[in-house]
Amino acid sequence: MTVTTDLHPEPGLEVLLHRREIAADGVVRLTFTRPDGGAFPAWEPGAHVDLVLGQDLVRQYSLCGDPADRTALTVAVLDVPDGRGGSRRVHGELAEGDRVRLRGPRNTFRFLPASRYVFVAGGIGITPLVPMVAAAAASGADWRLVYGGRTRSSMAFHEELTAAHGDRVSIVPEDENGVLDLDALLPRPDTRTRVYCCGPEPLLRAVEERSATWPAGTLHVERFTAAPGDDGPQGSFEVELAGTGATVHVPEDRSVLEAVEDAGVPVLFSCREGTCGTCETGVLEGVPLHRDALLTEEERASGEVMMICVSRSCTPRLVLDL
């Protein structure tokens, strides 16, 4: 099977599914290579790629392989029966030898230098943390990983992580040990510590609540779905495109991305949920209303960029770098 249909202005690379393996109950590990045997672009821990699985079916998956190996890219995909179709396509149809379109890698979850790290994973949220753990170990930093899941058999990578790193890794299956005791696991970090967390929304929210008194810049999270929306301006507004001077009306029921598309302007996009960062756009005038799951509080406060797939405007007019 070849899945290459894509209306996105960035076509990406055609890649070959070289190997498909069971990583855990309900999780498959996919390793992609280039049909021409060439090298992939360099990437760093925290990066993700877009898989184009059909028309308007584009999904983001974190890279969980070795950044030093430029010959292959590896992702792990959880089967979500009641999801939006991406995991069903991967689990039900994608086979070794198939070709798909891949875009990226991109990185919105950057692994930053520190002398100490705490990694917190929930379920499939382990995927971006696997190369981070390896990088932390290679750097000589002090670190620990706390990894929770429903059952031990559903937790991908747990055996190789414990085999490689021993008691630095704590595996906490809920059916054996209950839910993660975050109060015990997350004492207040100091300024030398970075905390990286990825997993389901309840876990992320719980960690964010506990981080209120931590030093600024300590906590780094990645969401696989958009954060819950907030109350803010819902009305229409105008967007001026700085590149052409054209003005686009954004009605209440359309996103900035949709309005710009309707005006015939090609824009890079992928998730349409504010989780991948592909549509990040510079803001030259006006005050954006941020509804993405990516920007830090400092980046939001600066108002210099916005994710036009979900974010709106606090002012009647925005001028965008488009």
Side-chain angles (χ1 to χ4, degrees):
M1 178 179 69
T2 300
V3 183
T4 58
T5 304
D6 185 19
L7 300 179
H8 192 287
E10 184 193 1
L13 289 171
E14 184 179 67
V15 297
L16 175 73
L17 178 52
H18 177 73
R19 187 167 61 252
R20 175 188 173 111
E21 307 165 276
I22 302 299
D25 291 347
V27 180
V28 293
R29 178 163 29 189
L30 308 177
T31 300
F32 296 96
T33 57
R34 293 183 56 163
D36 61 5
F40 286 107
W43 61 278
E44 296 179 348
H48 70 268
V49 293
D50 301 343
L51 290 187
V52 183
L53 301 168
Q55 184 168 328
D56 292 330
L57 187 60
V58 182
R59 297 293 181 264
Q60 293 74 45
Y61 298 108
S62 296
L63 292 172
C64 52
D66 179 3
D69 182 3
R70 300 278 297 279
T71 68
L73 294 176
T74 301
V75 301
V77 181
L78 173 67
D79 188 8
V80 184
D82 58 348
R84 298 176 296 124
S87 70
R88 289 280 70 211
R89 183 69 59 85
V90 168
H91 280 259
E93 301 179 25
L94 205 57
E96 289 183 359
D98 287 348
R99 298 188 182 201
V100 299
R101 287 277 173 189
L102 179 149
R103 298 198 292 258
R106 297 187 181 89
N107 202 331
T108 56
F109 191 41
R110 296 193 179 279
F111 182 65
L112 301 174
S115 58
R116 183 173 184 268
Y117 297 95
V118 178
F119 302 103
V120 182
I124 198 63
I126 189 63
T127 51
L129 302 186
V130 170
M132 289 189 183
V133 163
S139 75
D142 182 22
W143 65 272
R144 65 177 302 198
L145 165 67
V146 179
Y147 178 15
R150 292 181 294 104
T151 64
R152 193 175 295 269
S153 62
S154 71
M155 300 171 68
F157 304 106
H158 80 269
E159 291 181 341
E160 52 204 84
L161 285 166
T162 53
H165 304 295
D167 59 8
R168 286 185 181 270
V169 177
S170 299
I171 304 299
V172 188
E174 185 174 345
D175 64 337
E176 299 176 24
N177 307 105
V179 298
L180 294 176
D181 183 354
L182 294 177
D183 291 326
L185 297 170
L186 291 173
R188 188 179 190 277
D190 58 31
T191 55
R192 302 171 301 153
T193 303
R194 294 190 185 274
V195 178
Y196 283 85
C197 180
C198 186
E201 185 61 29
L203 172 64
L204 300 184
R205 283 296 175 115
V207 174
E208 286 174 333
E209 288 171 2
R210 287 162 175 78
S211 72
T213 60
W214 296 354
T218 298
L219 178 63
H220 307 264
V221 302
E222 182 170 60
R223 285 179 160 86
F224 290 142
T225 58
D230 57 0
D231 295 327
Q234 302 289 337
S236 61
F237 54 97
E238 305 295 321
V239 168
E240 180 182 329
L241 311 182
T244 64
T247 296
V248 176
H249 178 70
V250 183
E252 294 182 10
D253 61 346
R254 303 288 281 172
S255 69
V256 176
L257 173 62
E258 291 169 332
V260 171
E261 285 183 303
D262 292 345
V265 179
V267 183
L268 294 179
F269 67 89
S270 184
C271 72
R272 294 184 182 268
E273 291 190 334
T275 61
C276 75
T278 306
C279 70
E280 180 177 312
T281 301
V283 179
L284 304 180
E285 292 182 31
V287 180
L289 173 65
H290 298 290
R291 288 177 172 160
D292 64 276
L294 292 168
L295 296 177
T296 65
E297 290 304 316
E298 292 80 7
E299 290 168 332
R300 288 171 177 246
S302 76
E304 295 177 353
V305 297
M306 65 184 291
M307 306 303 163
I308 61 173
C309 66
V310 292
S311 297
R312 298 188 68 79
S313 182
C314 295
T315 50
R317 177 175 168 273
L318 292 174
V319 179
L320 300 182
D321 189 14
L322 287 174

